[in-house]
Amino acid sequence: MSLPHAILTALLEKPSSGLELTRRFDKSIGYFWSATHQQIYRELGKLEAEGHIRALPAEQPTRGQKKSYEVLPAGRAELARWTASSQDPKPYRDTMLLRLRASAVVGTEGIEADLRRHLALHQQQLAEYQDIEERDFPPGAASPQGRLQHLVLRAGIDLETFWTQWLTHALAEFTELPGENR
Amino acid sequence: MSLPHAILTALLEKPSSGLELTRRFDKSIGYFWSATHQQIYRELGKLEAEGHIRALPAEQPTRGQKKSYEVLPAGRAELARWTASSQDPKPYRDTMLLRLRASAVVGTEGIEADLRRHLALHQQQLAEYQDIEERDFPPGAASPQGRLQHLVLRAGIDLETFWTQWLTHALAEFTELPGENR
DNA sequence: ACGAGCATGTAACCGGTTACATGATTGG
DNA sequence: CCAATCATGTAACCGGTTACATGCTCGT
């Protein structure tokens, strides 16, 4: 039950249509909660039916017409409730770690190339986050909202830093493995 | 398509019944790929139908009777293929980061307690991993299989270390926020 | 007027989750 | 023998994914 709350957050920051939300999910919020436009439309319908949001009274909503939504007080209250609620961290899932473990059994043939590819991807993502940090969070005092947003970005930066270091370490290990295991 | 391969890996390490697999998923493999017994039974049925595993020829398999499986050559080949295949990293999803972002909009009322709770949980998990490392991976030379397994465990340790540090940092930020934002 | 792209939406599927059912074994 | 537990399994649901359909708008 996270997608509706992600949408409520995005709509509170700025009322938007479905496509606009999809684009914004490709950027900031999507960095740690991605969603496709189908998910977003489905969820917008539910949120409207529940009285959490409403379509902005512009034109009649026919197909192909832009339809913007804004958050109603009930929606804001629900988001506040959810934000403050106690939630267990989801168990972590990662296929690369799974494949590395499998490679200990069936051989490491072929996995090294994908480790390198992942390293490049994480380095790229790290650079993107660092650009955002430089641009949006220059050193110095910031508003409380800004500090919270910076905190979230730091998590992204530190996670990508971890992955680049770990993958580098993993690749170094591989060069030391005896030939028949590679 | 990861669960069947996780099961193949576990079965290659040691032929097991459904319940035994469930227990082992609660431990080692489950640390980065959890599964319930219902998922595992469902998947065992599929894997058997595909000819990747077979039931060990013991007693006739009636309900309530233990039924152990072993991996067939086709299953091992499929696992090797999957392990060496190129796979994109899944976009990262985390509700705590989402909630923190939401709290920048609707207020941080109530979230601090859950940050503390998460910190305790991650510290606990970190301690568990470190115990395993001390017990199973003492300093010194190790087999290639051991080194790969150690690599995976290091990822778990480093991830939990990251979370404890980040949560500590986040809580420190909170104490500096002006009163109306807490 | 028409094709490209914009915007919204339907449908089918798939893996993970939760609740529950049923047969076998074992301890009191 | 009966309850508790072990072991396997069925069913319904839910969110995320993929493929496709349809209507509108705008540039040429």
Side-chain angles (χ1 to χ4, degrees):
Chain A
M1 289 292 294
S2 294
L3 179 57
H5 303 95
I7 291 177
L8 286 172
T9 304
L11 285 182
L12 277 171
E13 287 171 3
K14 179 175 182 334
S16 310
S17 67
L19 238 275
E20 283 164 359
L21 280 177
T22 305
R23 299 239 167 76
R24 290 170 61 196
F25 268 72
D26 284 344
K27 290 187 299 179
S28 57
I29 291 186
Y31 287 139
F32 45 90
W33 205 275
S34 59
T36 63
H37 77 277
Q38 291 86 345
Q39 279 178 276
I40 287 172
Y41 285 123
R42 189 201 290 173
E43 211 59 46
L44 283 172
K46 283 192 205 170
L47 284 167
E48 190 176 24
E50 292 164 354
H52 288 152
I53 64 174
R54 68 165 182 181
L56 280 180
E59 309 85 54
Q60 77 290 1
T62 65
R63 208 166 179 137
Q65 293 286 86
K66 212 186 270 193
K67 193 161 64 168
S68 280
Y69 293 92
E70 68 176 354
V71 179
L72 295 170
R76 176 182 278 267
E78 165 57 24
L79 182 60
R81 185 205 62 72
W82 177 81
T83 302
S85 70
S86 176
Q87 293 172 231
D88 286 336
K90 284 268 150 194
Y92 183 69
R93 294 200 160 164
D94 187 277
T95 57
M96 181 54 90
L97 296 178
L98 209 54
R99 287 162 66 200
L100 209 62
R101 170 134 190 172
S103 76
V105 181
V106 298
T108 55
E109 186 75 31
I111 199 178
E112 202 175 338
D114 218 32
L115 286 171
R116 279 190 219 289
R117 198 174 63 90
H118 279 224
L119 176 55
L121 289 171
H122 285 292
Q123 282 170 338
Q124 194 179 326
Q125 186 66 60
L126 176 57
E128 193 175 330
Y129 286 159
Q130 284 170 336
D131 281 352
I132 296 173
E133 186 178 38
E134 226 173 288
R135 170 161 39 84
D136 295 350
F137 302 100
S143 70
Q145 283 81 0
R147 294 174 77 165
L148 288 171
Q149 286 167 8
H150 193 181
L151 206 49
V152 174
L153 180 60
R154 284 304 317 175
I157 290 173
D158 291 350
L159 271 172
E160 296 300 333
T161 300
F162 152 71
W163 278 115
T164 57
Q165 286 174 352
W166 182 84
L167 285 164
T168 301
H169 180 202
L171 284 164
E173 281 277 344
F174 266 62
T175 64
E176 294 172 23
L177 280 181
E180 70 264 29
N181 290 99
R182 305 190 55 197
Chain B
M1 289 295 293
S2 294
L3 179 56
H5 303 95
I7 291 176
L8 286 173
T9 304
L11 285 182
L12 277 171
E13 287 170 3
K14 182 176 180 331
S16 310
S17 68
L19 237 273
E20 284 163 358
L21 280 176
T22 304
R23 300 235 166 79
R24 291 169 59 194
F25 268 71
D26 284 344
K27 291 188 297 177
S28 55
I29 292 187
Y31 286 138
F32 45 90
W33 205 274
S34 60
T36 62
H37 77 277
Q38 290 86 343
Q39 281 178 273
I40 287 172
Y41 285 123
R42 190 201 292 173
E43 212 58 48
L44 284 173
K46 284 191 205 170
L47 285 168
E48 191 177 22
E50 292 164 353
H52 288 151
I53 63 174
R54 67 164 183 182
L56 281 179
E59 308 85 56
Q60 77 291 3
T62 65
R63 208 169 179 133
Q65 295 285 87
K66 210 185 272 191
K67 194 163 60 169
S68 280
Y69 293 91
E70 67 176 358
V71 178
L72 293 172
R76 176 184 279 265
E78 165 57 24
L79 183 59
R81 185 203 62 74
W82 177 82
T83 302
S85 71
S86 175
Q87 293 172 233
D88 285 337
K90 284 266 150 196
Y92 184 68
R93 292 199 162 165
D94 187 278
T95 57
M96 181 55 89
L97 295 178
L98 208 54
R99 288 161 66 199
L100 209 62
R101 170 132 192 178
S103 76
V105 180
V106 298
T108 56
E109 185 76 32
I111 200 178
E112 201 175 336
D114 218 33
L115 286 171
R116 278 188 218 292
R117 199 174 62 88
H118 278 223
L119 176 56
L121 288 171
H122 284 293
Q123 283 170 338
Q124 195 179 324
Q125 187 67 61
L126 175 57
E128 194 176 327
Y129 286 159
Q130 285 170 335
D131 281 352
I132 295 174
E133 185 178 40
E134 226 173 288
R135 171 162 38 84
D136 295 350
F137 302 99
S143 69
Q145 283 81 0
R147 294 174 79 164
L148 287 170
Q149 286 166 10
H150 194 182
L151 207 50
V152 174
L153 180 60
R154 285 303 318 176
I157 290 174
D158 292 349
L159 272 172
E160 295 300 333
T161 300
F162 152 71
W163 278 114
T164 58
Q165 286 175 352
W166 182 84
L167 284 164
T168 302
H169 180 201
L171 284 164
E173 281 276 345
F174 266 63
T175 64
E176 294 171 24
L177 282 180
E180 69 264 28
N181 287 101
R182 306 190 55 199

